[in-house]
Amino acid sequence: MAASQTDVSAISDALRQAAAQADNLSISQLLMDTARVQKMTATHQKLHIDYSRQLLTLDTLHNLHRLADATDLRAHINAMFAGEKINSTENRAVLHVALRAPKSASIYVDGVDVVPNVHKVLTDINAFTDKVRSGEWLGATGAPLTDVVAIGIGGSYLGPEFVFEALRMHPPAVKAAKGRRLRFLANVDPVDVARARDGLDPATTLIVVISKTFTTAETMLNARTMRAWIVDALGPDAVSKHMIAVSTNLPAVQDFGIDPANVFGFWDWVGGRYSVSSAVGVVPLSLQYGHDIVSEFLAGAHDMDQHFRSAPFDSNMPVLMGLVGVWNSTFLGHATRALLPYQQALLKLAPHIQQVDMESNGKSVRLDGSALSVPAGPINFGEPGTNGQHSFYQLIHQGRVVPCDFVGVIKSQVPISLDGEPVSNHDELMSNFFAQPDALAFGKSAEQCRAEGVPEELVPHKTFPGNRPSSSMLIEELTPFTAGQLLALFEHRTAVEGFIWGINSFDQWGVELGKVLAKGVRKQLQMSRKGASVSGFNPSTSALLKKYLAGSVS
Ligand code: F6P
């Protein structure tokens, strides 16, 4: 990819100059320019985004598009879709888009079309989950398996939980899930084990162990713990009926004792945090909701993939969101951003996107190993509105500047209107969705406070600086299809930003060091439980370990 370094430098300089002048811009004034507002929106099917509340002129937007061109964004996107090994530090293709490609598509990795295998696994999953749901597949006592515990962590947990929650109150999903329960077990904390199996009966429970590597310490201990729960209650032969797996590591699954016939595979070109559309998400979600609903979800993700791949950049939602992200992070220097869905069904969107984005773009070096002048990706956090308003919005209104992404839904999955109430419950929720971006943008001046009769000593406390950037996204309805679109939209935003920054968004070496150090601590704990003294740690860690082993802080 031959990005012109000279162009990139010149355009970056222009953007830096614009950023240096950005304090002179007023979002409230920019918003009065109807042509600009119209230009700073994009609609794709039932999704609409308005990014006119960004601290961004049309000139700067134009320069961001030039930056995308100069950094060969289109070529990077094409390389990803073509199965090139763009995850260079692991020598892997990045093909989560192949997981939702239709049967008719062909995508090659090392000369092999991966699409037929994707569809073979989907067919196998459908056959298996149909059997469990219909009661054809029974547990060791002959009882139907109505409950599922999905064990997995990180990418093998967060995406599936996001989709599970997004659809929980979607009426067709409610119907499809009648009589079934799905729980997730991620943390190695025994409290999470207790919570996951609270009220469940081993005789009616299916355990799905989800791990790409099948070596992740937390998942493996939780899998052994749940296997012991099954075996204690039902005997060792019950494992083949009550435990299945999703993994790329078939030998390790077999060693664990799960019947290879009950393992659903995926491939090294699926990154953990991009794996919800693989068996990682499809198995637990199909067990809960059936494969028709999961197929709609995959179709939605595929639709967004197509939009990302082919829409011109000035109407391409992931590209536009990525350009805004680069502007806010690199040029305006905002280290954080908030994802604020006004929709309780999206309560796990921010935790999932936290991993997608921060594990992908939390990098300090470029692809060639050279250091970036500032770290690439921002800190992502979020919480559904209006809950967040009663938690951290104080800070985003009067404390630090945090660019916000608001997400609202037009039709509620479960509308409620009370007699005598002026608006429906959903209208009440959405009133806040529309109000907050304006409160951030317009703020409230000292003069306005005084005009309202605010005592002088309280004026500084009641003033809102305003000029705080946000984007607002409207979704017509939260369905399996739009949940898939939303997922892919945020996945691709992260890719766009990473491509422009010139980093590898698809490796995650930063998670390794802590895992290695935990091994040393685990060994020390084992030895100390047999009487060995603590040694080889720094004074702080030694002292903490000794207190832990002594069972007392004194
Ligand atoms: O520690 C981070 C990580 O490697 C993630 O990238 C991954 O999603 C998660 O752990 C779980 O890994 P696995 O699916 O191999 O258990």
Side-chain angles (χ1 to χ4, degrees):
M1 256 151 268
S4 154
Q5 206 42 57
T6 323
D7 286 356
V8 173
S9 301
I11 298 163
S12 299
D13 281 349
L15 286 165
R16 269 191 287 274
Q17 275 170 25
Q21 304 294 318
D23 278 351
N24 302 329
L25 294 175
S26 148
I27 297 177
S28 53
Q29 277 172 15
L30 291 171
L31 276 175
M32 295 306 134
D33 178 349
T34 311
R36 175 185 169 278
V37 171
Q38 273 168 3
K39 176 111 180 83
M40 289 194 177
T41 62
T43 304
H44 172 66
Q45 296 184 357
K46 298 188 173 185
L47 306 188
H48 175 80
I49 182 161
D50 179 333
Y51 56 104
S52 62
R53 282 175 186 73
Q54 297 294 336
L55 202 56
L56 188 56
T57 63
L58 287 174
D59 270 356
T60 298
L61 182 61
H62 175 68
N63 276 333
L64 287 167
H65 280 283
R66 287 178 62 218
L67 183 67
D69 292 338
T71 51
D72 278 336
L73 178 60
R74 177 67 74 193
H76 285 289
I77 295 170
N78 288 342
M80 183 175 93
F81 276 88
E84 284 179 32
K85 297 195 174 172
I86 60 170
N87 175 359
S88 53
T89 62
E90 296 180 305
N91 193 30
R92 287 176 182 169
V94 175
L95 271 182
H96 40 284
V97 295
L99 300 168
R100 45 247 190 170
K103 265 187 184 157
S104 54
S106 295
I107 303 174
Y108 291 88
V109 177
D110 293 328
V112 177
D113 184 359
V114 299
V115 178
N117 275 338
V118 166
H119 281 273
K120 155 119 190 32
V121 173
L122 285 175
T123 306
D124 292 349
I125 295 172
N126 292 351
F128 174 78
T129 56
D130 274 354
K131 276 194 222 161
V132 174
R133 288 172 55 81
S134 67
E136 190 186 332
W137 179 285
L138 298 170
T141 66
L145 301 180
T146 49
D147 301 322
V148 170
V149 176
I151 304 174
I153 197 162
S156 293
Y157 152 61
L158 291 159
E161 192 184 46
F162 152 63
V163 183
F164 166 65
E165 291 290 350
L167 303 182
R168 238 171 102 180
M169 291 297 132
H170 173 58
V174 172
K175 203 167 154 207
K178 198 159 188 293
R180 304 200 60 81
R181 285 185 287 191
L182 172 60
R183 304 255 178 98
F184 292 91
L185 170 54
N187 201 335
V188 73
D189 187 338
V191 173
D192 210 16
V193 174
R195 287 159 59 122
R197 64 189 186 197
D198 185 34
L200 297 188
D201 177 353
T204 53
T205 302
L206 177 68
I207 314 288
V208 188
V209 185
I210 306 174
S211 173
K212 181 175 172 181
T213 56
F214 227 73
T215 58
T216 303
E218 296 92 327
T219 299
M220 298 325 297
L221 180 53
N222 278 336
R224 293 194 294 277
T225 306
M226 292 305 280
R227 181 178 60 190
W229 183 66
I230 295 286
V231 170
D232 287 353
L234 306 169
D237 291 345
V239 170
S240 63
K241 285 284 175 200
H242 289 261
M243 291 190 83
I244 64 166
V246 173
S247 184
T248 58
N249 186 353
L250 192 59
V253 181
Q254 263 178 287
D255 284 353
F256 181 87
I258 291 178
D259 186 344
N262 302 332
V263 183
F264 301 98
F266 59 114
W267 305 272
D268 74 352
W269 41 261
V270 183
R273 54 194 174 273
Y274 297 96
S275 65
V276 57
S277 342
S278 74
V280 165
V282 174
V283 170
L285 294 167
S286 294
L287 284 164
Q288 182 67 6
Y289 295 131
H291 55 77
D292 286 349
I293 284 180
V294 176
S295 300
E296 279 178 53
F297 162 73
L298 294 177
H302 173 66
D303 171 77
M304 184 53 70
D305 295 340
Q306 292 301 98
H307 167 77
F308 178 46
R309 187 181 192 175
S310 54
F313 284 175
D314 61 1
S315 58
N316 189 312
M317 283 192 175
V319 169
L320 293 168
M321 286 170 65
L323 293 181
V324 166
V326 170
W327 171 243
N328 281 330
S329 175
T330 301
F331 295 100
L332 293 183
H334 298 308
T336 55
R337 68 176 160 206
L339 178 50
L340 307 169
Y342 276 66
Q343 176 59 224
Q344 193 62 16
L346 295 177
L347 84 162
K348 294 292 176 182
L349 177 63
H352 177 49
I353 298 312
Q354 246 173 27
Q355 192 212 10
V356 167
D357 198 69
M358 290 165 75
E359 200 166 87
S360 298
N361 287 349
K363 308 283 164 64
S364 298
V365 296
R366 297 187 185 86
L367 276 162
D368 64 6
S370 62
L372 293 163
S373 51
V374 282
I379 298 157
N380 291 250
F381 73 101
E383 186 71 31
T386 63
N387 293 13
Q389 292 176 200
H390 301 274
S391 168
F392 52 81
Y393 277 39
Q394 165 64 41
L395 182 146
I396 65 177
H397 282 292
Q398 287 187 316
R400 294 173 189 274
V401 177
V402 179
C404 295
D405 290 307
F406 292 93
V407 180
V409 173
I410 294 179
K411 290 178 213 150
S412 175
Q413 287 175 332
V414 277
I416 298 177
S417 295
L418 292 182
D419 286 347
E421 291 290 330
V423 293
S424 72
N425 297 39
H426 188 67
D427 282 346
E428 175 61 30
L429 171 72
M430 290 300 285
S431 303
N432 291 277
F433 166 85
F434 292 110
Q436 290 291 337
D438 278 347
L440 287 169
F442 291 89
K444 189 171 181 182
S445 66
E447 290 64 41
Q448 283 173 297
C449 290
R450 288 188 190 106
E452 285 176 6
V454 173
E456 197 54 35
E457 68 278 14
L458 286 183
V459 166
H461 299 278
K462 294 198 162 194
T463 299
F464 290 68
N467 224 21
R468 295 178 174 226
S470 67
S471 296
S472 298
M473 183 188 301
L474 271 175
I475 305 173
E476 259 180 49
E477 217 173 335
L478 185 58
T479 62
F481 191 86
T482 55
Q485 288 179 312
L486 197 60
L487 168 93
L489 173 59
F490 281 99
E491 286 178 345
H492 297 325
R493 174 182 73 172
T494 292
V496 166
E497 293 173 347
F499 290 145
I500 293 177
W501 284 319
I503 60 173
N504 183 352
S505 300
F506 306 105
D507 61 10
Q508 57 285 317
W509 299 107
V511 302
E512 295 305 324
L513 180 58
K515 291 183 190 174
V516 172
L517 295 188
K519 271 189 195 161
V521 176
R522 195 180 298 126
K523 203 165 159 205
Q524 178 70 62
L525 291 177
Q526 265 167 11
M527 294 188 315
S528 293
R529 295 289 183 208
K530 292 181 193 149
S533 54
V534 172
S535 71
F537 296 89
N538 63 67
S540 164
T541 307
S542 282
L544 290 166
L545 276 171
K546 283 176 190 163
K547 286 181 194 299
Y548 177 71
L549 286 161
S552 159
V553 293
S554 52

